[in-house]
Amino acid sequence: MANTDFSRTMGGHHQHGFDRSRAWFERMHIDLILFLLILLLAGCGLLILYSGSGQDMTMVKRQGLHFLIGFIVLIVTAQFPPRFYQTVAPWAFAIGVIALIGVLVMGVGAKGAQRWLELPGLPRFQPSELVKLALPLTVAWYMSTRPVPPRLFDLFKAMIIIGLPTILILKQPDLGTSILISASGILVLFFAGMSWALILSMIGIVAACAPLMWFFVMREYQKQRVLTFLNPESDPLGSGWNIIQSKTAIGSGGIDGKGFLQGTQSQLEFLPESHTDFIIAVLAEELGLIGVLALLTLYFLIIMRCLYLSSRCETLFGRLLSGSLAVTFFIYVFVNIGMVSGILPVVGVPLPLVSYGGTSVVSLLTAFGLIMSMYTHRQN
Amino acid sequence: MWEHSFRDKSAERRLFRSRALTLAIFIFLMLCILAWRMAYLQINLYEKYKDLSENNRIQLRPIAPNRGLIYDRNGILLAENIPSYSLTLVPERVRDMEQTIAFLDQLIGISERDREQFEKRQGFRRRPFEPVVLRHQLSEDDIAKVMVNRFYLPGVDVEAQLVRHYPQGETFAHVLGYVGRINQQEQATLDTDPETKRRYSATQFIGKLGVERRYEQDLHGEVGYQKVETNARGRVIQIIERKDPVPGQDITLHLDSRLQKLAQKEMKGMRGALVAIEVATGGIVSLYSNPSFNPNLFVTGISHKDYSELRDNPDLPLFDRAIRGQYPPASTLKPFVGLAALNSGITSWNEAIDDPGWYQLENDERLYRDWKRIGHGKVNLERAIVESCDTYFYDVAVRAGIDNISPFLAQFGFGRNMTLDISNALPGLLPDREWKRAKRKSFWYAGDTVNLGIGQGFMLVTPMQLATATAVLANRGTWQVPRLILAHNDIEDEIPHGDIADIQLKNPQDWEQMYHAMEQVINGTHGTARRLRSKLRYPIAGKTGTAQVVGIKQDEEYDSESLRERWRDHALFIAFAPVENPEIAIAVVIENGESAGRTAGPIAQSIINEYLGGAEG
């Protein structure tokens, strides 16, 4: 056991840092490349927020605090081994589902939707945020106990696990989150090796269900959003206003932009929600296509790094979970930029790590902590 | 258990890697779509969105020109612009509209009507964050109350604007008219022409009646603009360019406030009208209809209550009797008929008839009575004018014939609106054969001529027409088109004479003779207006008239007392002075005034005294 070479190859066994030859970040279960990429993105996010918030330093400081908390949570999350998450996943899921039911029964409403739960002695929180992580965890846990590629019956049971919270969140109603959550679950199945025939037929079913959704599930305001998306000029002062203004901000930025803090659309407040959902338009206006491509590249690198890490995980559970989280992260990016640039309907999805908001920052960084945990905790 | 039994770990890994690779390619492609979309917006559509963002940022704000002021001939202000404060709301910034309005109602009072108008204005097309007016005419007190509570009233603001004000109030209401808010119908008319649409782009008020309407073009001015950078809330960040508006022209009218006020004072409690014209220029120095109304009520929108009060008043204060009241001219027509008879050659100043107190046409049983039952005896033209002998005029009218009288009277402007700048004046009615055939489907009878001889029957005149004819008479047939306008921006208007022919009498001496006869109406022992003599300061020529009231229907809702009052004769009086060299001509009509010598005459006399006195002193 005194042989250092041996102990290095045994890596994962030595969790408590008496092995001085390993770098500090390895000992802390941090993937340095991913960590630095996220740090870079967070830094860019704060800069854009400074402009998008109308140069509101208190807002930037508060977001900085969100990042600080988020990074602490990330590091803490990374310390626990995958086995721990496998164990807690079903419990977290159960608590999440119960809380979602609680929201429907006694939730606090805002703008016609019940999304918040207020319990005595606890801060007001949004159970769907918990489920965002608990669902992929649970599906990954379940699928890792099944043979690969999965059998049809196992997939069916996994669909029930996915469907339960999805329907509950849909009831709130929160179409955007329910789609994202179900996507994160389905992605686990995809990584687990669900057959292409099944994937294509699922896409077919979803396409067939779309008209039914329109008539039976979607609320009036959601339909309005879709209609506005199809023709924003139909209501230029109402719901079309946002999308027209954001396209104007983006388009008027041109290739090299109007200059940092020089965007007239954002600085003169024509652009709505310029510090939250529509913040990419601020970047596009002020730093132009160059800025946008730089940000897209940064996102691409982060996602690729995550996929790389996930493929290098030792456990099936780790691979399924981190692969799902990585692609879910991408979906956030795609949906947000797609909606702001007018190729997707407006759904309230923030731009990851750039839009202002503590919950989003902390839960995203927790996910990165999970990915790092899955990768760095090696087993025999 | 699966992990330790028959799992093929490397197959699992391979499956995962192939799935991850598939997704990595998919993600790359999807990100390329985003990049393509952004590039499309930022390169292909760059010009379009650059313009749009410029249009967002830069606003061309029209600036309303100040409306031109209106003065009387002495430089006294008749219409001015004073600041008025309005309460506005920016709906986008109001958190709870119901609550905000309720609070404002509690603070300064918001009427049901204000609310309705506000709802309506909100419906109009507007930019986001454009303020909408909730209430006009805030008092200092209201403003203070709103300002103190500003913190609780997000989106609520007070805006100042200039609104029209008529310092002389009722005195000039009918003649000046008033401005009011441009209504939707007027807006539609303005919008049909891009030029007027541009000119009125910042204007809220437009002349609705009277001088304000007639001289709208001159008073309005040229719109200016301001190129400003604004934020989405419409707040101006900086002014980029500015072109000042050109204020409307100030106009000066011939009207004389002293006379106008005097007319108002003299006619207090009566229904009637007075028109006085400066003979040499045609300038209308007084144009007054009583009762009148306060035009200031109409400027920012009259309340329903105030309007019904005016509308339902049996004295019809909104009715401009001076230019739209049509009355039988009665005996005031006699000097004109007399001149017609002389000019037709059927009589002369020396020729006299015998008046038994009635007149009869050949082959007609009917007796046309004189006002004096026993008759005037031997009457020539002068005496017929002085004593207003009906029989004489029955006789000369029939002898001269309608075909001579009607065209002759037309030369004095009867039957037409001869004014230069009073567009809504009614034309009265000068009957002739043609008119009767067209309108009454009947022949002209000799009896119609008999009636016309004493200004009764079909003929109708407005006080304006009577004054015009009197001025032409006083000017020995030379026309000066009656006008209100004296000067634009202190530069006197040179108005061409136009195509109205002056009246050429066959014997020009007839003018002087007629003046003499009309002077005797006041000065003569038997003159019908001899009671004016006691207060005579200047030699006046005049003629009284008493018109029978036939127009009022029996079933109109008057109490018996007022009904009886309203069946009394109208009193008319025309006059000019001084007789040798007339300066002012005047017509007064007092509804149900009965004796012109007692009611209309003294009013005319005091106007003449004031006018000539003022000119001397």
Side-chain angles (χ1 to χ4, degrees):
Chain A
M1 288 294 205
N3 187 328
T4 52
D5 281 333
F6 179 70
S7 74
R8 199 181 300 138
T9 56
M10 298 301 287
H13 274 298
H14 303 272
Q15 296 188 3
H16 295 292
F18 49 79
D19 184 351
R20 309 244 170 251
S21 64
R22 288 173 66 206
W24 62 270
F25 53 86
E26 278 184 37
R27 274 183 266 120
M28 286 184 74
H29 300 282
I30 294 298
D31 176 65
L32 191 62
I33 296 177
L34 182 57
F35 192 81
L36 289 178
L37 286 172
I38 295 170
L39 214 53
L40 185 58
L41 179 60
C44 294
L46 286 179
L47 270 181
I48 305 169
L49 180 66
Y50 177 62
S51 177
S53 65
Q55 297 156 46
D56 181 350
M57 242 356 254
T58 52
M59 195 177 271
V60 175
K61 281 180 187 160
R62 227 179 298 149
Q63 179 79 339
L65 187 68
H66 296 151
F67 276 121
L68 188 68
I69 296 167
F71 278 113
I72 292 170
V73 174
L74 182 153
I75 291 167
V76 170
T77 307
Q79 306 316 308
F80 294 96
R83 192 164 292 282
F84 168 77
Y85 293 108
Q86 271 177 298
T87 317
V88 300
W91 298 105
F93 181 74
I95 292 171
V97 169
I98 290 165
L100 283 178
I101 294 169
V103 165
L104 290 183
V105 177
M106 45 185 268
V108 179
K111 292 185 193 166
Q114 293 192 330
R115 294 174 185 178
W116 300 84
L117 193 60
E118 263 176 4
L119 291 174
L122 283 175
R124 183 167 123 141
F125 80 114
Q126 223 175 330
S128 58
E129 287 298 326
L130 172 65
V131 177
K132 268 182 192 170
L133 290 173
L135 180 76
L137 271 167
T138 308
V139 181
W141 159 76
Y142 177 72
M143 293 314 289
S144 69
T145 64
R146 304 285 102 190
V148 172
R151 292 179 306 206
L152 201 60
F153 187 61
D154 294 331
L155 284 176
F156 179 73
K157 283 196 270 187
M159 293 305 279
I160 291 175
I161 298 176
I162 298 168
L164 191 62
T166 304
I167 288 167
L168 289 173
I169 293 169
L170 208 52
K171 283 257 173 202
Q172 286 182 357
D174 188 349
L175 184 65
T177 306
S178 67
I179 288 174
L180 283 166
I181 282 180
S182 58
S184 72
I186 291 166
L187 279 166
V188 175
L189 306 186
F190 175 80
F191 279 114
M194 178 180 177
S195 77
W196 284 104
L198 213 55
I199 293 166
L200 292 177
S201 50
M202 263 182 65
I203 293 172
I205 289 169
V206 169
C209 284
L212 296 176
M213 292 268 289
W214 178 269
F215 289 112
F216 298 112
V217 179
M218 286 174 77
R219 305 290 177 105
E220 205 45 54
Y221 79 96
Q222 291 167 331
K223 290 183 189 176
Q224 192 54 50
R225 276 184 189 174
V226 174
L227 291 176
T228 305
F229 160 67
L230 294 172
N231 182 17
E233 278 74 18
S234 67
D235 184 13
L237 299 186
S239 41
W241 168 263
N242 289 10
I243 197 66
I244 291 172
Q245 295 305 331
S246 86
K247 274 157 73 178
T248 304
I250 296 168
S252 65
I255 294 171
D256 53 356
K258 295 177 184 169
F260 188 57
L261 304 181
Q262 303 298 309
T264 53
Q265 284 287 109
S266 46
Q267 303 304 324
L268 297 176
E269 301 165 61
F270 288 100
L271 186 65
E273 301 180 45
S274 61
H275 63 283
T276 55
D277 290 358
F278 283 77
I279 196 162
I280 182 81
V282 178
L283 172 83
E285 185 185 21
E286 300 193 341
L287 302 179
L289 185 58
I290 294 169
V292 172
L293 291 179
L295 186 75
L296 287 178
T297 307
L298 192 50
Y299 277 124
F300 182 67
L301 291 177
I302 289 173
I303 295 159
M304 288 304 125
R305 181 66 187 169
C306 289
L307 281 178
Y308 172 76
L309 295 183
S310 59
S311 69
R312 300 276 306 241
C313 285
E314 292 224 330
T315 61
L316 177 60
F317 170 69
R319 283 196 292 276
L320 295 181
L321 177 66
S322 45
S324 160
L325 292 176
V327 181
T328 308
F329 181 79
F330 160 74
I331 294 176
Y332 271 87
V333 174
F334 186 82
V335 169
N336 176 272
I337 300 180
M339 116 192 155
V340 175
S341 64
I343 57 175
L344 289 178
V346 175
V347 284
V349 172
L351 185 64
L353 302 186
V354 177
S355 287
Y356 178 82
T359 322
S360 155
V361 162
V362 173
S363 72
L364 284 166
L365 290 178
T366 311
F368 285 115
L370 284 172
I371 292 172
M372 291 184 192
S373 154
M374 298 303 135
Y375 170 70
T376 58
H377 291 271
R378 306 203 169 229
Q379 296 163 330
N380 279 329
Chain B
M1 50 185 161
W2 282 102
E3 289 185 40
H4 299 288
S5 48
F6 33 78
R7 297 204 91 145
D8 180 347
K9 294 223 173 170
S10 64
E12 275 182 10
R13 254 181 221 282
R14 255 182 283 122
L15 176 65
F16 183 86
R17 283 194 179 150
S18 90
R19 288 284 157 113
L21 190 65
T22 312
L23 275 182
I25 294 167
F26 178 72
I27 286 168
F28 179 74
L29 291 178
M30 294 294 271
L31 285 175
C32 283
I33 290 177
L34 288 185
W36 166 82
R37 172 65 180 172
M38 287 299 200
Y40 176 71
L41 290 176
Q42 298 189 300
I43 297 171
N44 296 37
L45 300 182
Y46 171 66
E47 292 295 331
K48 173 189 165 185
Y49 284 119
K50 199 183 94 174
D51 288 351
L52 275 179
S53 95
E54 277 300 284
N55 289 347
N56 260 347
R57 178 175 80 97
I58 308 290
Q59 263 190 45
L60 213 53
R61 294 199 163 173
I63 310 169
N66 286 349
R67 198 174 174 84
L69 306 178
I70 305 176
Y71 296 99
D72 87 338
R73 59 163 47 201
N74 311 312
I76 289 167
L77 207 49
L78 305 183
E80 60 185 337
N81 306 308
I82 57 166
S84 162
Y85 298 90
S86 305
L87 187 74
T88 64
L89 289 182
V90 177
E92 282 85 349
R93 291 175 58 202
V94 175
R95 272 189 228 108
D96 185 336
M97 187 62 80
E98 271 307 303
Q99 205 186 313
T100 302
I101 293 179
F103 184 43
L104 284 168
D105 184 27
Q106 197 189 314
L107 274 183
I108 59 170
I110 305 293
S111 71
E112 204 48 50
R113 190 182 137 79
D114 289 333
R115 253 178 245 212
E116 275 167 33
Q117 294 278 348
F118 177 69
E119 292 290 321
K120 223 193 274 172
R121 287 186 204 111
Q122 258 188 298
F124 296 164
R125 200 180 158 74
R126 60 181 197 92
R127 300 170 72 103
F129 295 101
E130 199 172 79
V132 182
V133 172
L134 175 61
R135 221 198 88 179
H136 290 292
Q137 285 177 303
L138 301 182
S139 66
E140 299 275 325
D141 201 33
D142 294 337
I143 297 170
K145 280 181 190 160
V146 172
M147 285 305 168
V148 165
N149 289 288
R150 242 188 140 169
F151 178 76
Y152 307 101
L153 293 166
V156 176
D157 213 343
V158 173
E159 266 178 19
Q161 60 180 159
L162 288 177
V163 298
R164 203 58 151 175
H165 180 247
Y166 303 100
Q168 315 284 335
E170 298 198 350
T171 316
F172 286 87
H174 283 117
V175 53
L176 286 186
Y178 47 81
V179 302
R181 282 180 195 285
I182 297 175
N183 60 33
Q184 291 213 49
Q185 196 188 331
E186 286 158 342
Q187 190 65 56
T189 313
L190 291 172
D191 286 352
T192 51
D193 180 8
E195 177 54 24
T196 54
K197 186 180 177 174
R198 192 188 63 79
R199 267 169 59 89
Y200 281 84
S201 53
T203 306
Q204 290 188 30
F205 297 97
I206 194 166
K208 300 268 184 183
L209 269 178
V211 170
E212 291 277 26
R213 179 173 178 156
R214 176 63 179 70
Y215 286 102
E216 174 64 30
Q217 287 284 322
D218 304 334
L219 291 166
H220 180 260
E222 256 312 307
V223 65
Y225 68 81
Q226 214 175 18
K227 216 179 198 179
V228 293
E229 183 182 81
T230 63
N231 64 13
R233 290 176 186 175
R235 184 172 299 140
V236 175
I237 308 295
Q238 58 167 324
I239 296 169
I240 293 166
E241 199 184 317
R242 184 186 159 98
K243 182 173 172 279
D244 287 325
V246 181
Q249 298 179 38
D250 295 341
I251 63 176
T252 306
L253 303 178
H254 275 286
L255 293 172
D256 187 325
S257 296
R258 293 176 309 138
L259 301 187
Q260 195 80 357
K261 275 189 189 138
L262 186 61
Q264 185 184 17
K265 189 179 133 214
E266 294 278 336
M267 290 168 77
K268 195 156 190 272
M270 306 175 187
R271 289 177 306 281
L274 178 155
V275 181
I277 295 175
E278 190 176 59
V279 173
T281 61
I284 299 166
V285 291
S286 183
L287 182 62
Y288 183 72
S289 172
N290 204 61
S292 186
F293 60 93
N294 180 1
N296 293 309
L297 290 177
F298 284 86
V299 175
T300 48
I302 189 166
S303 76
H304 202 74
K305 182 177 148 282
D306 286 343
Y307 186 70
S308 357
E309 221 162 80
L310 288 173
R311 188 194 51 203
D312 301 337
N313 185 333
D315 288 341
L316 305 179
L318 294 176
F319 177 47
D320 187 354
R321 292 167 163 85
I323 59 169
R324 297 181 69 82
Q326 304 190 108
Y327 307 89
S331 303
T332 58
L333 195 66
K334 283 174 181 168
F336 305 98
V337 175
L339 287 174
L342 287 170
N343 215 41
S344 71
I346 55 108
T347 188
S348 71
W349 286 99
N350 299 325
E351 194 183 309
I353 62 151
D354 194 37
D355 169 22
W358 47 265
Y359 175 80
Q360 201 169 20
L361 285 165
E362 275 174 55
N363 309 323
D364 192 346
E365 303 256 301
R366 183 170 167 191
L367 289 181
Y368 293 90
R369 297 202 175 275
D370 196 291
W371 63 268
K372 196 170 177 183
R373 280 285 160 128
I374 55 161
H376 297 266
K378 273 254 177 247
V379 190
N380 63 11
L381 178 53
E382 177 166 320
R383 200 170 154 211
I385 293 278
V386 175
E387 297 178 18
S388 202
C389 170
D390 291 338
T391 310
Y392 180 89
F393 283 97
Y394 294 146
D395 179 62
V396 292
V398 171
R399 283 197 287 142
I402 180 68
D403 300 325
N404 277 319
I405 295 171
S406 192
F408 186 83
L409 291 179
Q411 295 186 82
F412 284 90
F414 292 114
R416 278 189 292 171
N417 173 18
M418 296 301 287
T419 59
L420 174 82
D421 50 9
I422 299 176
S423 27
N424 49 341
L426 289 180
L429 174 57
L430 177 61
D432 59 12
R433 282 182 207 278
E434 187 51 42
W435 168 83
K436 204 178 173 199
R437 190 162 44 231
K439 290 286 155 67
R440 295 289 169 105
K441 310 270 183 262
S442 166
F443 297 108
W444 184 270
Y445 299 112
D448 298 330
T449 315
V450 175
N451 278 330
L452 182 64
I454 60 159
Q456 297 282 1
F458 302 120
M459 185 152 177
L460 292 173
V461 298
T462 65
M464 184 74 234
Q465 282 176 320
L466 265 186
T468 305
T470 308
V472 174
L473 173 67
N475 213 12
R476 294 176 173 83
T478 305
W479 265 92
Q480 293 294 342
V481 178
R483 70 206 49 194
L484 289 165
I485 194 72
L486 175 59
H488 280 84
N489 281 343
D490 287 337
I491 300 163
E492 265 193 50
D493 283 56
E494 301 260 355
I495 290 155
H497 185 71
D499 55 359
I500 305 161
D502 293 335
I503 302 167
Q504 308 286 346
L505 291 186
K506 283 179 187 145
N507 181 8
Q509 262 313 109
D510 288 345
W511 294 119
E512 313 302 329
Q513 294 265 33
M514 185 56 76
Y515 293 178
H516 180 70
M518 288 173 73
E519 192 179 5
Q520 290 305 307
V521 170
I522 291 125
N523 264 339
T525 333
H526 299 290
T528 50
R530 59 187 173 275
R531 65 171 60 234
L532 300 186
R533 210 179 340 171
S534 56
K535 279 184 264 169
L536 204 62
R537 280 161 62 197
Y538 304 94
I540 296 179
K543 183 69 195 82
T544 56
T546 306
Q548 289 154 9
V549 173
V550 286
I552 295 179
K553 296 182 199 77
Q554 296 265 19
D555 55 356
E556 278 186 33
E557 287 176 35
Y558 297 125
D559 57 86
S560 60
E561 188 68 16
S562 77
L563 184 69
R564 236 175 289 130
E565 196 256 343
R566 271 157 212 264
W567 277 88
R568 290 179 195 155
D569 294 340
H570 294 330
L572 292 83
F573 190 69
I574 60 170
F576 57 85
V579 179
E580 313 77 42
N581 191 18
E583 290 175 30
I584 181 173
I586 190 166
V588 179
V589 174
I590 300 298
E591 288 181 10
N592 317 115
E594 289 188 306
S595 163
R598 269 201 306 271
T599 55
I603 295 172
Q605 186 182 33
S606 80
I607 294 285
I608 288 171
N609 285 348
E610 179 70 27
Y611 179 80
L612 295 177
E616 280 173 2

